[in-house]
Amino acid sequence: MLSDVTTPQDLDDRFRETLAALPAAERRRDPADPVTDDAPLTGAQMLDLFDAQVTSRQLDLAGRWLRSFGEGFYTIGSAGHEGNAAVAAALRPTDPALLHYRSGAFYCLRAAQFAADPTLATDAEPSAVPARTVDPDQDADRERAVGAVRSADGESTVDDASTSEPESAADPQVSESEPAGIEATSATGAANGFAAYADAARDVLRGMVASSLEPIAGGRHKVFGRADLAIVPTTSTIASHLPRAVGMGLAVERLRRLDSAGRRTGAGVRVGSGAGATHAPWPPDAIVVCSFGDASVNHASATAAFNTAGWYDHAGLRIPVLFVCEDNGLGISVRSPEGWVEATLRAKPGIRYFSADGADPVRTYEVAAEAAAWVRRNRRPAVLHLRTVRLMGHAGADAESAYRSPAELAEDLDRDPVAATARLLVDAGVATGEELLARYDETGWQVRRLAEEVLGEPKLASAADVVSALAPRRPVRVARAVADAAARASGPGAGARAEAFGGKPPELAGPMTLAQSINAALADGMLDHPQMALFGEDVAAKGGVYGVTKGLRDRFGAARVFDTLLDETSVLGLGLGAGLAGMLPVPEIQYLAYLHNAEDQLRGEAATMRFFSQGAFRNPMVVRVAGLAYQEGFGGHFHNDNSVAVLRDVPGLVVAVPARPDDAAPMLRTCLASAAVDGSVCVFLEPIALYHTRDLYTDGDGEWLAGYPEPGGWVAGHVPIGRARVYRVGSADDLTIITFGNGVRMSLRAAAVLAEEGVGTRVVDLRWLAPLPVADIIRESSATGRVLVVDETRRSGGVGEGVIAALVDAGYVGAARRVAGVDSFVPLGPAARHVLVSEEAITDGARTLLAR
């Protein structure tokens, strides 16, 4: 009896009734023959699909069972979405996939492919598969794409209107072979049933019970992911992984076009092996697949991803991504309006539209195979709109009766994709209902047995265990990478370096500003890291709104220095995908205020990748951000934002703030080396007001300029992550000022005033806001016993709070005081002086502290 909510018992009973009622076919069909006369799948392959679907279904039932006695922690399942197994079959096991949390059958099918043939496994480290040589000019010679797929009733399942430009034809370097599909599993799966899916089932069950033996997240979260299966874990439920998928597609295509050693730098400049000269971790003709739910179509991250993919396609750049929308019509309890998802997806410019009914496994496979072939051949984006149902509610605690009628639930049960596959197999004579029910029960018994086994497995036992995979810090290796870069720049790469700098390397250019030093360090980084790419709004032709990237596109070519569309979520998403694909991305966010539009790409996507994959995947990235306040004659909140709390709150994120030219270059080199060596995600926050500053104490003194070190001096000038810089003024015995960014210059000027009054000051430039240089803070504070924290960010949520907390935690017993910005947005014009820290406030604060 169907209740007012689809319970596990309802679903199981209904499935059994369906199979029992299926009449046997008049004759048996050889499993090696097509399942129907015109089907692209054999009976054996359909049995494999059935086994994948049943495994996923039994895992959902096991999840509810585990939760019933408090041993399971995750009940969002895939029931009703099992048609996505046919999508997995239509792809190659080496196509990287980012999976929606209802893509369980997809995961099971791909794991079975690997179980049948372990040589299919991919290498998560970006060095296993060399990229092929492809001429970038071959795009112009491509042939017309394959025609539209026709649905059973004669209607096209492909929307040609979404792509106004002529379809580009196949790149000669892209393989035209059929997808690996389920050929690799048909023999093993059909012969051994559950054996091919045991590993997948164990993986998923371990995730449900938070076992530390779970292969991807190690008990940190229940995700679909495994490096050898090219399945990248995604933890979001609302499409924040879609911008990354676009970035992966862009990177896969760019890396495919590198020479066979992966060292093309653009503009005719070639260097030696370089630091981490890597290759794409996936085959050169791979495509990226990314699944998501229908409700996520409406999310800003999804809109950004679709728009970016279409924007690049319109511009003639290739992004081989297949988006898969698993549409069950609901976002928890909120309905997608009838026809809205299809209308939305069809309307995306530059993205080819395909559709299929997930309850029809043969048509789903046909359409998915056609969509994948179209993306692979043309290297262009497409979306597969897969219509599904949702069975057993959103999750275990979901009371569907509050928003769905029994009639609706019954209708969804009638479209059960597992029952549909069983019906097809029985009608075709491949199996009887009784035989399929036996497979179903055997799988259920095996899944329950595995569930009982994983219950006894260890959990993460300490905070150290939890954070062990978060963000490794290997300072010795980073220092060695900087030393190696110096050796290459002064040795085998000296000629290329001289050519790139037009015969005049930066160390011969005389004293530099902060902006000039960053520019030179970026150029040296591009020379040493052949996989490095620099991109963002206005960074290429214009050279950045402040000229920081001026001339870099001319030196290294438009393939490595390029402008993006105006969308920070997409800029960071491109970086995330590029890093995952083996590149070293250096995206620029034009102003700190604009970063807040895209914070989740750093928090929920970038910083979590190593955490939820135990380091199997990483997205190295150095995000350049122009920020902080004090611009003369150019103000307002958007261009003088002083809010960095969101950055300091992200676990594992490195936040660097160079104040002086002689710190900027070595700190940038450290960030690049840390990204390459440890996979770090670094934010390089550049104080706009100091970009072109030349003087410190008096006009014309040039005290804020600094020479650029030659490569031989890079080792001696290396700045490790989390180490401060100390300036001593006078005796340096009376007062410690702890500050960063613009505060360094103001504090040095204030210290000079105090020196005239007989006060000796040590000014500590934090340089790193995350991790804070705690050891340096404690040492320099204890040396004087009086600490003035000069924080140009806000009093609430500012950096100063972290400094004071570090002092308290260390048992500091001296005097301490803060001078910080007012809790306000930065207003326009002279009014900004009322809310920002001033030199006068610093000297007054110091005098008050000294008077105690």
Side-chain angles (χ1 to χ4, degrees), residues 91-110:
L91 294 160
R92 297 178 185 169
T94 51
D95 289 330
L98 299 96
L99 297 183
H100 180 238
Y101 59 6
R102 298 197 191 277
S103 297
F106 184 114
Y107 183 81
C108 291
L109 194 285
R110 180 163 288 193

PDB file of all heavy atoms in Angstrom, residues 91-110:
ATOM      1  N   LEU A  91      29.961   7.685 -21.855  1.00  0.00           N
ATOM      2  CA  LEU A  91      31.211   8.431 -21.755  1.00  0.00           C
ATOM      3  C   LEU A  91      32.388   7.472 -21.679  1.00  0.00           C
ATOM      4  O   LEU A  91      32.216   6.257 -21.590  1.00  0.00           O
ATOM      5  CB  LEU A  91      31.180   9.318 -20.507  1.00  0.00           C
ATOM      6  CG  LEU A  91      30.154  10.438 -20.531  1.00  0.00           C
ATOM      7  CD1 LEU A  91      29.870  10.931 -19.117  1.00  0.00           C
ATOM      8  CD2 LEU A  91      30.645  11.594 -21.405  1.00  0.00           C
ATOM      9  N   ARG A  92      33.572   8.019 -21.691  1.00  0.00           N
ATOM     10  CA  ARG A  92      34.762   7.219 -21.477  1.00  0.00           C
ATOM     11  C   ARG A  92      35.154   7.301 -20.000  1.00  0.00           C
ATOM     12  O   ARG A  92      34.974   8.340 -19.376  1.00  0.00           O
ATOM     13  CB  ARG A  92      35.905   7.712 -22.349  1.00  0.00           C
ATOM     14  CG  ARG A  92      35.610   7.582 -23.829  1.00  0.00           C
ATOM     15  CD  ARG A  92      36.743   8.133 -24.663  1.00  0.00           C
ATOM     16  NE  ARG A  92      36.398   8.121 -26.084  1.00  0.00           N
ATOM     17  CZ  ARG A  92      37.102   8.725 -27.027  1.00  0.00           C
ATOM     18  NH1 ARG A  92      38.169   9.418 -26.706  1.00  0.00           N
ATOM     19  NH2 ARG A  92      36.717   8.661 -28.286  1.00  0.00           N
ATOM     20  N   PRO A  93      35.713   6.238 -19.461  1.00  0.00           N
ATOM     21  CA  PRO A  93      36.094   6.272 -18.045  1.00  0.00           C
ATOM     22  C   PRO A  93      37.157   7.315 -17.736  1.00  0.00           C
ATOM     23  O   PRO A  93      37.369   7.653 -16.576  1.00  0.00           O
ATOM     24  CB  PRO A  93      36.632   4.861 -17.789  1.00  0.00           C
ATOM     25  CG  PRO A  93      36.092   4.019 -18.891  1.00  0.00           C
ATOM     26  CD  PRO A  93      35.954   4.922 -20.075  1.00  0.00           C
ATOM     27  N   THR A  94      37.827   7.812 -18.752  1.00  0.00           N
ATOM     28  CA  THR A  94      38.881   8.816 -18.563  1.00  0.00           C
ATOM     29  C   THR A  94      38.367  10.233 -18.730  1.00  0.00           C
ATOM     30  O   THR A  94      39.153  11.179 -18.655  1.00  0.00           O
ATOM     31  CB  THR A  94      40.023   8.564 -19.561  1.00  0.00           C
ATOM     32  OG1 THR A  94      39.479   8.438 -20.881  1.00  0.00           O
ATOM     33  CG2 THR A  94      40.777   7.302 -19.206  1.00  0.00           C
ATOM     34  N   ASP A  95      37.069  10.405 -18.960  1.00  0.00           N
ATOM     35  CA  ASP A  95      36.493  11.745 -19.014  1.00  0.00           C
ATOM     36  C   ASP A  95      36.271  12.229 -17.587  1.00  0.00           C
ATOM     37  O   ASP A  95      35.498  11.617 -16.839  1.00  0.00           O
ATOM     38  CB  ASP A  95      35.151  11.739 -19.757  1.00  0.00           C
ATOM     39  CG  ASP A  95      35.295  11.504 -21.247  1.00  0.00           C
ATOM     40  OD1 ASP A  95      36.337  11.887 -21.807  1.00  0.00           O
ATOM     41  OD2 ASP A  95      34.368  10.926 -21.844  1.00  0.00           O
ATOM     42  N   PRO A  96      36.918  13.305 -17.158  1.00  0.00           N
ATOM     43  CA  PRO A  96      36.736  13.762 -15.777  1.00  0.00           C
ATOM     44  C   PRO A  96      35.291  14.153 -15.511  1.00  0.00           C
ATOM     45  O   PRO A  96      34.636  14.774 -16.360  1.00  0.00           O
ATOM     46  CB  PRO A  96      37.681  14.962 -15.674  1.00  0.00           C
ATOM     47  CG  PRO A  96      37.890  15.417 -17.079  1.00  0.00           C
ATOM     48  CD  PRO A  96      37.817  14.184 -17.926  1.00  0.00           C
ATOM     49  N   ALA A  97      34.809  13.798 -14.331  1.00  0.00           N
ATOM     50  CA  ALA A  97      33.406  14.018 -13.999  1.00  0.00           C
ATOM     51  C   ALA A  97      33.283  14.688 -12.640  1.00  0.00           C
ATOM     52  O   ALA A  97      33.980  14.325 -11.685  1.00  0.00           O
ATOM     53  CB  ALA A  97      32.646  12.693 -13.998  1.00  0.00           C
ATOM     54  N   LEU A  98      32.393  15.670 -12.560  1.00  0.00           N
ATOM     55  CA  LEU A  98      32.005  16.291 -11.297  1.00  0.00           C
ATOM     56  C   LEU A  98      30.532  15.960 -11.097  1.00  0.00           C
ATOM     57  O   LEU A  98      29.686  16.416 -11.874  1.00  0.00           O
ATOM     58  CB  LEU A  98      32.215  17.807 -11.340  1.00  0.00           C
ATOM     59  CG  LEU A  98      33.659  18.285 -11.574  1.00  0.00           C
ATOM     60  CD1 LEU A  98      33.880  18.569 -13.057  1.00  0.00           C
ATOM     61  CD2 LEU A  98      33.955  19.540 -10.762  1.00  0.00           C
ATOM     62  N   LEU A  99      30.235  15.173 -10.064  1.00  0.00           N
ATOM     63  CA  LEU A  99      28.922  14.547  -9.976  1.00  0.00           C
ATOM     64  C   LEU A  99      28.015  15.188  -8.933  1.00  0.00           C
ATOM     65  O   LEU A  99      28.426  15.475  -7.808  1.00  0.00           O
ATOM     66  CB  LEU A  99      29.071  13.056  -9.653  1.00  0.00           C
ATOM     67  CG  LEU A  99      29.792  12.211 -10.701  1.00  0.00           C
ATOM     68  CD1 LEU A  99      29.802  10.750 -10.274  1.00  0.00           C
ATOM     69  CD2 LEU A  99      29.145  12.360 -12.075  1.00  0.00           C
ATOM     70  N   HIS A 100      26.774  15.350  -9.346  1.00  0.00           N
ATOM     71  CA  HIS A 100      25.666  15.737  -8.480  1.00  0.00           C
ATOM     72  C   HIS A 100      25.466  14.659  -7.421  1.00  0.00           C
ATOM     73  O   HIS A 100      25.800  13.495  -7.638  1.00  0.00           O
ATOM     74  CB  HIS A 100      24.420  15.853  -9.369  1.00  0.00           C
ATOM     75  CG  HIS A 100      23.170  16.241  -8.680  1.00  0.00           C
ATOM     76  ND1 HIS A 100      22.038  15.456  -8.712  1.00  0.00           N
ATOM     77  CD2 HIS A 100      22.844  17.329  -7.960  1.00  0.00           C
ATOM     78  CE1 HIS A 100      21.064  16.052  -8.044  1.00  0.00           C
ATOM     79  NE2 HIS A 100      21.526  17.185  -7.574  1.00  0.00           N
ATOM     80  N   TYR A 101      24.893  15.015  -6.292  1.00  0.00           N
ATOM     81  CA  TYR A 101      24.779  14.037  -5.213  1.00  0.00           C
ATOM     82  C   TYR A 101      23.725  12.977  -5.449  1.00  0.00           C
ATOM     83  O   TYR A 101      23.535  12.098  -4.607  1.00  0.00           O
ATOM     84  CB  TYR A 101      24.565  14.734  -3.875  1.00  0.00           C
ATOM     85  CG  TYR A 101      23.356  15.630  -3.736  1.00  0.00           C
ATOM     86  CD1 TYR A 101      22.382  15.736  -4.731  1.00  0.00           C
ATOM     87  CD2 TYR A 101      23.186  16.395  -2.591  1.00  0.00           C
ATOM     88  CE1 TYR A 101      21.299  16.558  -4.585  1.00  0.00           C
ATOM     89  CE2 TYR A 101      22.090  17.224  -2.426  1.00  0.00           C
ATOM     90  CZ  TYR A 101      21.147  17.300  -3.426  1.00  0.00           C
ATOM     91  OH  TYR A 101      20.059  18.117  -3.276  1.00  0.00           O
ATOM     92  N   ARG A 102      23.016  13.020  -6.589  1.00  0.00           N
ATOM     93  CA  ARG A 102      22.091  11.939  -6.937  1.00  0.00           C
ATOM     94  C   ARG A 102      22.608  11.103  -8.109  1.00  0.00           C
ATOM     95  O   ARG A 102      21.852  10.400  -8.752  1.00  0.00           O
ATOM     96  CB  ARG A 102      20.713  12.511  -7.259  1.00  0.00           C
ATOM     97  CG  ARG A 102      20.068  13.229  -6.073  1.00  0.00           C
ATOM     98  CD  ARG A 102      18.585  13.432  -6.253  1.00  0.00           C
ATOM     99  NE  ARG A 102      18.035  14.335  -5.259  1.00  0.00           N
ATOM    100  CZ  ARG A 102      17.672  13.980  -4.027  1.00  0.00           C
ATOM    101  NH1 ARG A 102      17.818  12.729  -3.638  1.00  0.00           N
ATOM    102  NH2 ARG A 102      17.162  14.878  -3.188  1.00  0.00           N
ATOM    103  N   SER A 103      23.910  11.177  -8.360  1.00  0.00           N
ATOM    104  CA  SER A 103      24.496  10.443  -9.488  1.00  0.00           C
ATOM    105  C   SER A 103      25.115   9.124  -9.042  1.00  0.00           C
ATOM    106  O   SER A 103      26.173   8.719  -9.519  1.00  0.00           O
ATOM    107  CB  SER A 103      25.544  11.325 -10.186  1.00  0.00           C
ATOM    108  OG  SER A 103      24.955  12.485 -10.724  1.00  0.00           O
ATOM    109  N   GLY A 104      24.447   8.431  -8.133  1.00  0.00           N
ATOM    110  CA  GLY A 104      24.991   7.196  -7.591  1.00  0.00           C
ATOM    111  C   GLY A 104      25.176   6.102  -8.618  1.00  0.00           C
ATOM    112  O   GLY A 104      26.186   5.388  -8.609  1.00  0.00           O
ATOM    113  N   ALA A 105      24.214   5.935  -9.510  1.00  0.00           N
ATOM    114  CA  ALA A 105      24.334   4.877 -10.513  1.00  0.00           C
ATOM    115  C   ALA A 105      25.465   5.181 -11.485  1.00  0.00           C
ATOM    116  O   ALA A 105      26.144   4.262 -11.966  1.00  0.00           O
ATOM    117  CB  ALA A 105      23.012   4.717 -11.264  1.00  0.00           C
ATOM    118  N   PHE A 106      25.668   6.452 -11.811  1.00  0.00           N
ATOM    119  CA  PHE A 106      26.810   6.856 -12.640  1.00  0.00           C
ATOM    120  C   PHE A 106      28.096   6.384 -11.976  1.00  0.00           C
ATOM    121  O   PHE A 106      28.972   5.790 -12.618  1.00  0.00           O
ATOM    122  CB  PHE A 106      26.799   8.381 -12.795  1.00  0.00           C
ATOM    123  CG  PHE A 106      27.864   8.936 -13.714  1.00  0.00           C
ATOM    124  CD1 PHE A 106      27.514   9.557 -14.898  1.00  0.00           C
ATOM    125  CD2 PHE A 106      29.215   8.874 -13.380  1.00  0.00           C
ATOM    126  CE1 PHE A 106      28.481  10.084 -15.743  1.00  0.00           C
ATOM    127  CE2 PHE A 106      30.190   9.393 -14.202  1.00  0.00           C
ATOM    128  CZ  PHE A 106      29.821  10.003 -15.397  1.00  0.00           C
ATOM    129  N   TYR A 107      28.227   6.668 -10.679  1.00  0.00           N
ATOM    130  CA  TYR A 107      29.442   6.303  -9.958  1.00  0.00           C
ATOM    131  C   TYR A 107      29.635   4.787  -9.964  1.00  0.00           C
ATOM    132  O   TYR A 107      30.748   4.291 -10.185  1.00  0.00           O
ATOM    133  CB  TYR A 107      29.364   6.815  -8.524  1.00  0.00           C
ATOM    134  CG  TYR A 107      30.604   6.536  -7.716  1.00  0.00           C
ATOM    135  CD1 TYR A 107      31.727   7.353  -7.818  1.00  0.00           C
ATOM    136  CD2 TYR A 107      30.660   5.450  -6.850  1.00  0.00           C
ATOM    137  CE1 TYR A 107      32.867   7.090  -7.087  1.00  0.00           C
ATOM    138  CE2 TYR A 107      31.802   5.176  -6.112  1.00  0.00           C
ATOM    139  CZ  TYR A 107      32.903   6.007  -6.233  1.00  0.00           C
ATOM    140  OH  TYR A 107      34.038   5.735  -5.506  1.00  0.00           O
ATOM    141  N   CYS A 108      28.560   4.044  -9.726  1.00  0.00           N
ATOM    142  CA  CYS A 108      28.666   2.589  -9.699  1.00  0.00           C
ATOM    143  C   CYS A 108      29.101   2.025 -11.044  1.00  0.00           C
ATOM    144  O   CYS A 108      29.946   1.121 -11.115  1.00  0.00           O
ATOM    145  CB  CYS A 108      27.332   1.977  -9.281  1.00  0.00           C
ATOM    146  SG  CYS A 108      26.877   2.281  -7.558  1.00  0.00           S
ATOM    147  N   LEU A 109      28.550   2.566 -12.116  1.00  0.00           N
ATOM    148  CA  LEU A 109      28.896   2.074 -13.444  1.00  0.00           C
ATOM    149  C   LEU A 109      30.359   2.340 -13.760  1.00  0.00           C
ATOM    150  O   LEU A 109      31.076   1.469 -14.242  1.00  0.00           O
ATOM    151  CB  LEU A 109      27.982   2.721 -14.485  1.00  0.00           C
ATOM    152  CG  LEU A 109      27.916   2.133 -15.899  1.00  0.00           C
ATOM    153  CD1 LEU A 109      29.127   2.453 -16.737  1.00  0.00           C
ATOM    154  CD2 LEU A 109      27.658   0.631 -15.869  1.00  0.00           C
ATOM    155  N   ARG A 110      30.810   3.557 -13.441  1.00  0.00           N
ATOM    156  CA  ARG A 110      32.215   3.863 -13.746  1.00  0.00           C
ATOM    157  C   ARG A 110      33.156   3.030 -12.891  1.00  0.00           C
ATOM    158  O   ARG A 110      34.207   2.586 -13.374  1.00  0.00           O
ATOM    159  CB  ARG A 110      32.509   5.341 -13.559  1.00  0.00           C
ATOM    160  CG  ARG A 110      33.964   5.676 -13.881  1.00  0.00           C
ATOM    161  CD  ARG A 110      34.241   7.127 -14.101  1.00  0.00           C
ATOM    162  NE  ARG A 110      33.713   7.616 -15.365  1.00  0.00           N
ATOM    163  CZ  ARG A 110      34.045   8.800 -15.897  1.00  0.00           C
ATOM    164  NH1 ARG A 110      34.894   9.597 -15.266  1.00  0.00           N
ATOM    165  NH2 ARG A 110      33.522   9.183 -17.042  1.00  0.00           N
TER     166      ARG A 110
END
